[in-house]
């Protein structure tokens, strides 16, 4: 960890929060047979993979994993694409997953992608909710709400072990 970083959550704490997110998703969707986890490219997708593993451990749900791809800085220019076809999630329950909800821009474009296809339910899940939203979107399931200044950056390390969340 760099000198100007403050560890917020250790590996163990990150794993506990992922487990809790999986349980909350399962509680919300307990009557479903199948869930689509749509991880926003990079860390959101990695988080979706980790949640999918936990869901498979704790439930009999069929969990289908897909990746939402977009340029997070310029989603309107690059467009949003999904690794699954419309037919694979039509009339299904979709959970859009990202690592950090900061301004809400990435999450709202991720959610917006699914609005053209009929769904049974659309839910959002994030590991860290910073509550600095500029867009009208919320996390239905979150690992933690973290009060930070606008100048601070939340760094999530879940691509390799040990996992962690730090403030920079």
């Amino acid at each position: 960890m760099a000198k100007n970083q403050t560890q917020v959550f250790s590996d163990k704490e990150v794993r506990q929060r992922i487990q809790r997110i999986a349980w909350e998703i399962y509680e919300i969707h307990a009557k479903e047979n199948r869930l689509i986890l749509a991880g926003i490219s990079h860390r959101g997708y990695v988080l979706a993979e980790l949640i999918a593993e936990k869901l498979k451990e704790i439930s009999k749900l069929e969990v289908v994993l897909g990746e939402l791809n977009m340029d997070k800085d310029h989603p309107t220019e690059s467009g949003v694409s999904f690794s699954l076809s419309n037919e694979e999630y039509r009339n299904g329950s979709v959970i859009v997953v990202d690592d950090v909800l900061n301004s809400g821009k990435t999450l709202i474009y991720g959610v917006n992608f699914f609005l053209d296809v009929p769904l049974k339910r659309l839910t959002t899940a994030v590991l860290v909710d910073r509550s600095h939203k500029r867009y009208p979107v919320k996390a239905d399931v979150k690992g933690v709400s973290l009060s930070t200044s606008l100048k601070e950056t939340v760094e999530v390390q879940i691509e390799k072990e040990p996992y962690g969340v730090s403030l920079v």
Side-chain angles (χ1 to χ4, degrees), residues 7 20-21 33 41 43 59 68 95 119 130 134 136 162:
Q7 184 179 40
R20 188 169 63 84
I21 289 169
N33 296 319
S41 54
R43 283 184 302 276
S59 75
L68 268 171
I95 298 104
L119 299 176
R130 291 190 63 196
R134 288 183 283 155

Side-chain angles (χ1 to χ4, degrees), residues 4-96:
N4 59 345
Q5 284 187 337
T6 303
Q7 184 179 40
V8 179
F9 298 115
S10 67
D11 179 87
K12 180 181 178 185
E13 292 167 318
V14 170
R15 290 174 192 277
Q16 288 171 338
R17 280 162 174 73
I18 291 169
Q19 177 90 17
R20 188 169 63 84
I21 289 169
W23 275 107
E24 283 189 50
I25 289 171
Y26 181 43
E27 288 173 7
I28 293 168
H29 299 279
K31 294 182 180 177
E32 300 295 327
N33 296 319
R34 185 171 186 264
L35 289 180
I36 310 299
L37 291 183
I40 295 177
S41 54
H42 307 302
R43 283 184 302 276
Y45 182 75
V46 172
L47 179 60
E49 288 178 312
L50 296 169
I51 293 168
E53 287 174 23
K54 293 296 177 189
L55 282 168
K56 289 174 184 177
E57 287 174 17
I58 64 174
S59 75
K60 294 184 192 250
L61 291 168
E62 176 189 354
V63 180
V64 179
L65 194 57
E67 186 170 11
L68 268 171
N69 293 291
M70 71 178 86
D71 177 341
K72 291 182 178 188
D73 295 321
H74 308 287
T76 55
E77 296 168 20
S78 66
V80 179
S81 64
F82 191 45
S83 62
L84 303 178
S85 71
N86 290 0
E87 292 309 311
E88 291 177 272
Y89 59 88
R90 180 181 303 279
N91 297 315
S93 291
V94 175
I95 298 104
V96 178

